Amino acid sequence: MASKVIHAIYTDDDILMQAVKQVRAEHYHIEEVYTPFPVHGLDKVMGLAPTRIAITSFMYGLVGLTVATLMMNFIMIEDWPQNIGGKPSFSYIENMPAFVPIMFELTVFFAAHLMVITFYMRSKLWPFKKAENPDVRTTDDHFLMSVDAGNHDVEKLSKFLYDTGALEISLIENDENH
């Protein structure tokens, strides 16, 4: 079965934002919007759910803090206690002020690296992945809105998109069997 998608090309982000509002007001389904730079507020206008990456970053930071605490306790207190600068080596709590920089660095290290890995996995980005960008101009100065034409009248939808400020309209038929 083939699905029909209409690609509408815009050259201004403000016109794109207004077009997205108009398309959503008419209850058409926007598949995706491709932009050459982040357009602030576009996610809210498209009705996308807020991201939860900040929550995962906090949890990854807690994992880093836990690893740092357990590592330093094992290395400096249990496994190989040393008298460094007259500090007692029999209690983690008494040595904790000296361990704060290590705890901070590992918290940031774990949060940053695991957040990037999570972002790439969620976005399905990995080395040697074929680009899914439907129009190369969206990496320079054009904006593309992909609207599901599904059961709608294609000519009516195309005219509506031209009225929203689109410069080009193209109908794309995707074969879902491949």
Side-chain angles (χ1 to χ4, degrees):
M1 174 166 190
S3 66
K4 293 186 283 188
V5 177
I6 292 184
H7 288 173
I9 301 282
Y10 299 87
T11 56
D12 186 60
D13 57 334
D14 293 326
I15 295 172
L16 173 74
M17 287 284 280
Q18 193 59 37
V20 169
K21 290 177 187 175
Q22 292 172 358
V23 168
R24 287 204 17 110
E26 292 295 320
H27 303 291
Y28 292 117
H29 176 67
I30 299 174
E31 293 283 332
E32 187 65 74
V33 175
Y34 298 90
T35 64
F37 54 83
V39 178
H40 299 289
L42 184 60
D43 54 341
K44 287 181 180 43
V45 173
M46 287 180 62
L48 299 176
T51 181
R52 294 184 302 267
I53 195 121
I55 296 168
T56 59
S57 176
F58 178 73
M59 290 189 303
Y60 294 151
L62 289 178
V63 168
L65 183 62
T66 303
V67 167
T69 303
L70 294 174
M71 178 190 74
M72 289 181 301
N73 184 55
F74 178 75
I75 293 171
M76 298 299 291
I77 306 301
E78 294 175 20
D79 187 43
W80 197 266
Q82 298 177 42
N83 185 353
I84 300 173
K87 290 186 170 81
S89 60
F90 52 86
S91 172
Y92 179 81
I93 297 298
E94 290 178 313
N95 286 315
M96 197 169 69
F99 296 155
V100 168
I102 299 167
M103 292 167 23
F104 173 77
E105 291 297 332
L106 281 179
T107 299
V108 172
F109 179 85
F110 271 69
H113 286 78
L114 292 175
M115 190 170 52
V116 167
I117 292 168
T118 300
F119 173 76
Y120 283 144
M121 289 173 55
R122 255 327 252 143
S123 301
K124 297 181 181 133
L125 294 173
W126 47 80
F128 311 111
K129 182 177 188 281
K130 185 180 178 295
E132 295 178 9
N133 192 352
D135 192 328
V136 71
R137 294 176 294 176
T138 61
T139 61
D140 292 330
D141 59 354
H142 285 68
F143 303 86
L144 185 141
M145 180 173 25
S146 178
V147 181
D148 181 22
N151 302 329
H152 303 290
D153 180 13
V154 174
E155 292 191 22
K156 180 182 171 191
L157 179 56
S158 296
K159 177 167 179 358
F160 172 73
L161 290 171
Y162 273 122
D163 292 342
T164 64
L167 297 180
E168 291 179 34
I169 304 289
S170 56
L171 178 66
I172 308 296
E173 298 210 22
N174 296 327
D175 186 15
E176 294 178 357
N177 292 335
H178 292 93

